[in-house]
Every structure is written in C-alpha cells, then in structure tokens.
C-alpha cells in the first residue's frame, strides 16, 4: 500500500496524487496534541478491520478515518459563498463543487467505511513528557496489510496551560434542534443527553470553554398568546456544560432584525412583534425575569452571560439599546455578550464580538472602545 504524509493544515482531496513524503516530522509543546494526515492508494469496500498501535512514541495515539465533505460553492471574498469562480479564483483552492477531506470519523468499532483510505493521526503529548526528540512509528493494521508510518516528534519544554487556567478562550456554537434532528433523537431524551455529553467532551478537548445554551421556550395559552417561558431545556444543557468544565454559559438569542437596514428588531418566537412595542416589552420583561430566575436557581451568577441579538446593525441600534435596557432591568448585573455589526451601541453590551473584517473596517472606532475598557472578541 502506497501512502503520503500531509500536514494537518493542508487540504487533501479524494483525487490527490501521492508524493514522496513518507515520514511525519512533528513539533509540540507539552500538555498539547499534534496531528498529521495520511493518504493512501488503497480503495476500501467497507467493513475492513483496523487496529492502531505505536512504537517509540510517548503519549496516546488516536487515529480517525478521514471522510470527504461536499463543497457546493466557493468562499466569497468577504462573508458568504459565491458561484462566481472568476472573482475568487486567485485565492480558493479549487473550483466548486468538489469534495475535500474534512470529516474525522472515530474508529471505536474497529472497522472502516468504503472509499479511498485516508487517516487523521493525533498524538497527545502529556505534560509529564520530558523535552527532547522521539523517533518511532504509528502502525495501522488494515485486515492483513500493515502500514508503518515513521514519526519524528520533537517535544519542547514549553507547556500549554490546563484549560481551567487558560487566559485564551473560545466559543463554538451548537444549534440544538439540528443536533437532535441530524442524529434522529428527541430533544430532552436520554439519547439526546448522551449525545450532548459526546459533543461537550469534543468541545472541551478542542479548548472551547464558553457555550451558548438554548433560549427559553415560549408557553402559549389557547389563543396563542405568550404567557410564560420554559427554561428546563436551557437549565439541563447549562448545568451539564458547567459539569464538563465550561467556564461560562450564555443565554440564547431572543430577537432578530427582519431586514438589516430597518430600524426595529423583532422577537424570534413572534416575528411580527417589535421589541419596542408594548407587547414586545411585556414579553421581554417576562422572558428576562424568568431567565434570571433560572440563573439564580442554578447558581450560575458567576458563570453566565446573556445574548440578545445576532449581529445588531447600525440602523437598529436604538432598538437594541431598548432591548438591553429591559434585559438589565430584569437581570441585575448580567454580562451582555453579542456578535455585532455596529460600534454605536456603547453601554448596551459588555462584550463586543466582532468579525475580523468588521473590526478592520472600523478599527479606529473599536480601538477607541477598547481604550475605554470595553472588551472586544474576534470571530
């Protein structure tokens, strides 16, 4: 079986031709992990057995099967995707549509799926490992064939901090209805909870330590009028996340603009109700009052932030300020954290989460906010 070693940062494809690099040259701090990719010329029919072992390497070795993901459109030069290849061909890797290896499938059942055999190899370097050069190999046994991958690992004295002591934090959202739908489980079931645990383990392992939890669910009377909010789903997810080691949980979004260039913002569950209307105020006050009760009941005060709107814009800044005022009235001392597309909502939120392109476009404005002590995150 022929193969080639690729960096973990290099895109590879099902039709990538093999080159000559057959040894992994790796560098790592302690208490970290380092990875590489392996592409072979072997075509799998599906169901082949695989076992993994390591020789001469310190630490745990985990191997995943790489599977191709389908890319429908190329990335645009700014935010979205595009069908106009000519405008982006100077920086995209290929003309869409195409497939690229971007899915890592665990090998817990010891079998492989059909397709070209490709693997993602991860070496966990323990904090107790002595610095120095380690020469060894990773061995993949696929049915009767053995693939021995030479590895050179240089471990440095530097040590990555434990997540609990880290000063660098990350957020990676989970959209809970889709999670349940894609896995065919019912929200709130035992299977759903087990699924959350698996996702949380993965998030923490990737050093994502802030988590947005579900918003409260509206409760309606016989006429369809919102009379209460149920935070049981949010409480279950939030408590589970904190048990897994997340530093903060963030309450889910509650409103959204219908058109980015209009003045008002509308409730997510009643899209015709403006947050600046009397009915909007009634529902917002009820929502945030119940949200704060959930926070206090679960003792989250020191580990909680509230999100209001996904990307408030310049035009709807006054509506956002009104919504923020209602939130602060009902959730005393709460930290408001939102992704933003504007810099003119000073005082309405505590953590500005700004796209890199937006930050660079209005860098003077955001730097002025930072000089005033405002906290700015980048995404």
């Amino acid at each position: 079986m022929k193969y080639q070693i690729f960096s973990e940062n290099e895109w590879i494809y099902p039709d990538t031709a093999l080159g000559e690099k057959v040894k992994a040259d790796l560098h790592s701090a302690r208490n970290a992990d380092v990875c590489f990719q392996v592409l072979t010329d072997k075509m799998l029919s599906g169901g082949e057995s695989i076992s993994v072992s390591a020789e001469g390497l310190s630490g745990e070795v985990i191997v995943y099967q790489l599977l191709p993901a389908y890319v429908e459109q190329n990335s645009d030069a700014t935010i979205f995707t595009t069908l106009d290849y000519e405008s982006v061909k100077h920086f995209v890797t290929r003309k869409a549509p195409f497939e690229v290896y971007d899915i890592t499938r665990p090998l817990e059942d010891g079998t492989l799926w059909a397709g070209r055999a490709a693997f993602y190899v991860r070496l966990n370097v323990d904090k107790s490992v002595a610095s120095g050069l380690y020469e060894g190999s990773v061995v993949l046994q696929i049915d009767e064939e053995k693939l021995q991958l030479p590895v050179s690992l240089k471990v440095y004295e530097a040590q990555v901090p434990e997540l609990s002591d880290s000063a660098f934090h990350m957020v990676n959202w989970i959209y809970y209805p889709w999670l349940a739908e894609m896995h065919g489980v019912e929200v709130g079931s035992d299977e759903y909870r087990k699924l959350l645990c698996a996702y949380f383990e993965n998030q923490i392992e990737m050093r994502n330590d802030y988590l947005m939890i579900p918003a409260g669910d509206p409760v309606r009377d016989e006429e369809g009028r919102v009379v209460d909010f149920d935070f049981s789903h949010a409480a279950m997810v939030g408590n589970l996340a904190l048990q897994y080691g997340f530093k903060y949980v963030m309450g889910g979004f509650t409103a959204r603009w219908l058109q980015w260039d209009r003045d008002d913002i509308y409730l997510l569950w009643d899209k015709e109700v403006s947050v600046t209307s009397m009915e909007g105020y009634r529902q917002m006050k009820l929502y945030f009052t119940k949200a704060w009760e959930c926070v206090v009941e679960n003792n989250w005060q020191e580990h909680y932030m509230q999100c209001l709107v996904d990307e408030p814009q310049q035009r709807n800044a006054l509506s956002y300020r009104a919504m923020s005022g209602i939130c602060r009235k009902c959730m005393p001392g709460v930290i408001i954290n939102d992704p933003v597309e504007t810099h003119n909502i000073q005082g309405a939120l505590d953590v500005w989460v700004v796209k890199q392109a937006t930050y660079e476009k209005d860098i003077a404005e955001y730097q002025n906010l930072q000089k005033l002590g405002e906290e700015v995150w980048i995404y």
Side-chain angles (χ1 to χ4, degrees):
M1 177 189 333
K2 294 181 179 179
Y3 73 92
Q4 182 181 347
I5 301 294
F6 294 85
S7 161
E8 63 178 310
N9 300 313
E10 185 174 353
W11 293 118
I12 57 175
Y13 309 85
D15 62 353
T16 296
L18 295 181
E20 297 180 354
K21 184 173 177 57
V22 294
K23 181 179 180 181
D25 298 298
L26 307 176
H27 299 259
S28 179
R30 295 179 299 147
N31 199 35
D33 63 73
V34 61
C35 308
F36 63 93
Q37 300 176 97
V38 183
L39 184 61
T40 79
D41 64 353
K42 183 177 180 62
M43 294 302 298
L44 303 166
S45 58
E48 288 90 344
S49 65
I50 182 170
S51 61
V52 177
S53 60
E55 300 173 359
L57 298 172
S58 180
E60 182 185 23
V61 175
I62 304 173
V63 177
Y64 304 85
Q65 183 179 7
L66 276 172
L67 302 175
Y70 181 67
V71 179
E72 291 184 273
Q73 298 183 16
N74 287 118
S75 296
D76 201 352
T78 53
I79 300 175
F80 301 110
T81 59
T82 181
L83 294 172
D84 180 13
Y85 177 68
E86 290 300 314
S87 68
V88 299
K89 66 180 182 181
H90 62 288
F91 69 84
V92 300
T93 59
R94 287 196 172 191
K95 182 179 180 179
F98 59 85
E99 288 188 330
V100 60
Y101 287 113
D102 197 35
I103 300 168
T104 51
R105 173 182 170 261
L107 298 176
E108 296 163 348
D109 64 355
T111 63
L112 296 169
W113 287 8
R116 188 175 180 181
F119 303 97
Y120 190 86
V121 181
R122 171 179 168 182
L123 280 68
N124 291 333
V125 182
D126 193 81
K127 62 184 177 183
S128 63
V129 172
S131 59
L133 183 64
Y134 295 83
E135 299 284 351
S137 62
V138 174
V139 181
L140 307 181
Q141 182 76 40
I142 303 174
D143 283 348
E144 303 304 317
E145 292 187 82
K146 178 185 286 188
L147 187 60
Q148 189 153 356
L149 310 170
V151 176
S152 175
L153 171 63
K154 185 172 182 179
V155 179
Y156 294 84
E157 188 67 24
Q159 180 174 316
V160 175
E162 297 292 340
L163 187 57
S164 58
D165 301 324
S166 176
F168 183 83
H169 309 287
M170 291 200 296
V171 183
N172 190 11
W173 292 354
I174 295 175
Y175 188 55
Y176 300 94
W178 285 359
L179 184 148
E181 179 182 345
M182 294 301 173
H183 288 273
V185 301
E186 183 179 347
V187 171
S189 66
D190 290 342
E191 293 81 5
Y192 176 74
R193 186 182 176 91
K194 291 177 183 176
L195 193 61
L196 283 178
C197 291
Y199 271 76
F200 290 171
E201 286 177 1
N202 183 263
Q203 293 269 3
I204 290 293
E205 194 173 49
M206 297 301 293
R207 300 185 73 85
N208 298 311
D209 54 355
Y210 283 58
L211 181 77
M212 182 182 286
I213 63 176
D217 296 313
V219 178
R220 301 179 186 272
D221 63 14
E222 293 179 354
E223 284 75 40
R225 183 172 183 265
V226 173
V227 295
D228 200 359
F229 288 91
D230 181 1
F231 281 86
S232 57
H233 184 204
M236 184 271 284
V237 174
N239 284 324
L240 191 61
L242 292 172
Q243 290 171 21
Y244 267 84
F246 286 88
K247 287 182 179 292
Y248 274 85
V249 294
M250 303 183 293
F253 296 121
T254 55
R256 176 73 166 169
W257 39 267
L258 298 183
Q259 297 290 334
W260 69 271
D261 57 352
R262 292 185 183 177
D263 294 338
D264 226 330
I265 297 172
Y266 298 83
L267 302 180
L268 283 180
W269 52 86
D270 273 348
K271 289 184 169 57
E272 74 285 357
V273 177
S274 160
V275 300
T276 59
S277 67
M278 180 58 74
E279 176 60 14
Y281 174 67
R282 182 189 73 83
Q283 291 198 36
M284 286 279 93
K285 186 175 182 182
L286 178 60
Y287 182 94
F288 291 124
T289 298
K290 294 301 293 279
W292 193 242
E293 289 177 2
C294 177
V295 170
V296 173
E297 286 172 4
N298 290 283
N299 198 30
W300 292 347
Q301 294 94 318
E302 303 301 317
H303 305 278
Y304 186 83
M305 295 180 176
Q306 181 63 53
C307 299
L308 304 180
V309 178
D310 187 5
E311 297 182 346
Q313 308 284 316
Q314 296 275 3
R315 284 294 300 270
N316 46 56
L318 287 177
S319 295
Y320 184 88
R321 287 181 180 277
M323 190 175 177
S324 170
I326 301 169
C327 176
R328 294 196 192 280
K329 175 185 176 72
C330 303
M331 306 182 78
V334 74
I335 299 171
I336 297 178
N337 173 320
D338 271 325
V340 298
E341 287 285 325
T342 178
H343 48 73
N344 65 341
I345 48 176
Q346 307 94 322
L349 78 166
D350 304 288
V351 181
W352 306 67
V353 187
V354 189
K355 289 193 188 82
Q356 181 177 338
T358 302
Y359 183 85
E360 291 173 352
K361 179 172 66 73
D362 295 320
I363 190 168
E365 299 289 351
Y366 287 112
Q367 286 183 341
N368 284 337
L369 289 168
Q370 289 176 286
K371 289 175 184 176
L372 292 172
E374 298 293 293
E375 187 168 347
V376 177
W377 296 0
I378 295 295
Y379 77 109

